Amino acid sequence: MFFKDGKRLSSLDHLKVGDRLTVRIVITADRDYDFVQIADHRAACMEPTSQLSGYRNGCYVATKDNASYFYFDVLSKGRHTVEMTYYIDRAGSYRTGLCTAQCAYSPEFAGRDKSWEVKSEWKWRANESEERMKVKSEEFYASVNEQLFWVRKI
């Protein structure tokens, strides 16, 4: 499940760069499990807000380059929720990876969710015509190149 500003999103279209997105993973265990690993592969445009690894919310969280991993020593019978927050850091069309959960020493006990499509756009380009966007992007790149040149001269 995906949330933006506390509201559940039915699709991941029309996100803006800079939006804060919460990903909620719900695990339903039909029995007690030991040593459960959850891998949440995120889209390339999503940057985690908390990038430090460590124990949080009853599990060890390891944030890596392309995914967040959650490790539970014991996952008791019932419903469990894990949340991560991300910022949308670039515009474009992306796909998330699969979210998988499995027991480390009994891989036959596993489950996964589907991949999602994420579409994001620049906030300042949202309501402008395509021709105006080209002009603004050319001006933006020109100013960046001038600044880089100026930095090199000093």
Side-chain angles (χ1 to χ4, degrees):
M1 290 184 272
F2 298 90
F3 295 86
K4 179 182 161 191
D5 300 327
K7 297 178 184 173
R8 185 174 178 178
L9 300 174
S10 58
S11 70
L12 296 176
D13 295 340
H14 307 297
L15 293 173
K16 307 275 191 264
V17 173
D19 283 350
R20 187 176 175 150
L21 188 68
T22 302
V23 176
R24 182 178 296 164
I25 302 166
V26 179
I27 304 109
T28 305
D30 61 346
R31 63 183 80 165
D32 293 342
Y33 294 104
D34 292 330
F35 306 110
V36 176
Q37 304 170 345
I38 299 171
D40 181 27
H41 296 273
R42 59 182 168 270
C45 66
M46 297 166 67
E47 192 65 31
T49 58
S50 176
Q51 297 187 3
L52 297 176
S53 299
Y55 280 96
R56 281 181 263 153
N57 301 325
C59 66
Y60 185 82
V61 180
T63 304
K64 299 291 182 184
D65 193 22
N66 64 344
S68 296
Y69 298 95
F70 306 91
Y71 299 99
F72 291 88
D73 291 334
V74 176
L75 193 68
S76 59
K77 181 179 181 178
R79 187 179 170 118
H80 304 273
T81 304
V82 177
E83 287 188 354
M84 282 291 286
T85 55
Y86 301 98
Y87 284 111
I88 304 297
D89 69 346
R90 64 184 73 104
S93 180
Y94 304 91
R95 289 204 70 85
T96 65
L98 297 176
C99 178
T100 59
Q102 73 174 19
C103 289
Y105 302 111
S106 299
E108 64 270 14
F109 297 113
R112 64 178 173 260
D113 192 19
K114 66 179 182 175
S115 176
W116 294 81
E117 186 173 2
V118 179
K119 292 183 181 178
S120 59
E121 56 189 24
W122 291 102
K123 286 185 179 183
W124 58 274
R125 292 185 184 177
N127 297 324
E128 299 177 9
S129 68
E130 191 170 337
E131 191 171 313
R132 179 71 179 140
M133 283 192 281
K134 287 180 186 175
V135 171
K136 276 202 170 188
S137 64
E138 289 170 7
E139 290 171 1
F140 175 73
Y141 290 125
S143 66
V144 168
N145 290 336
E146 288 170 12
Q147 288 173 358
L148 290 175
F149 180 71
W150 182 73
V151 170
R152 288 183 190 150
K153 281 172 55 176
I154 291 177

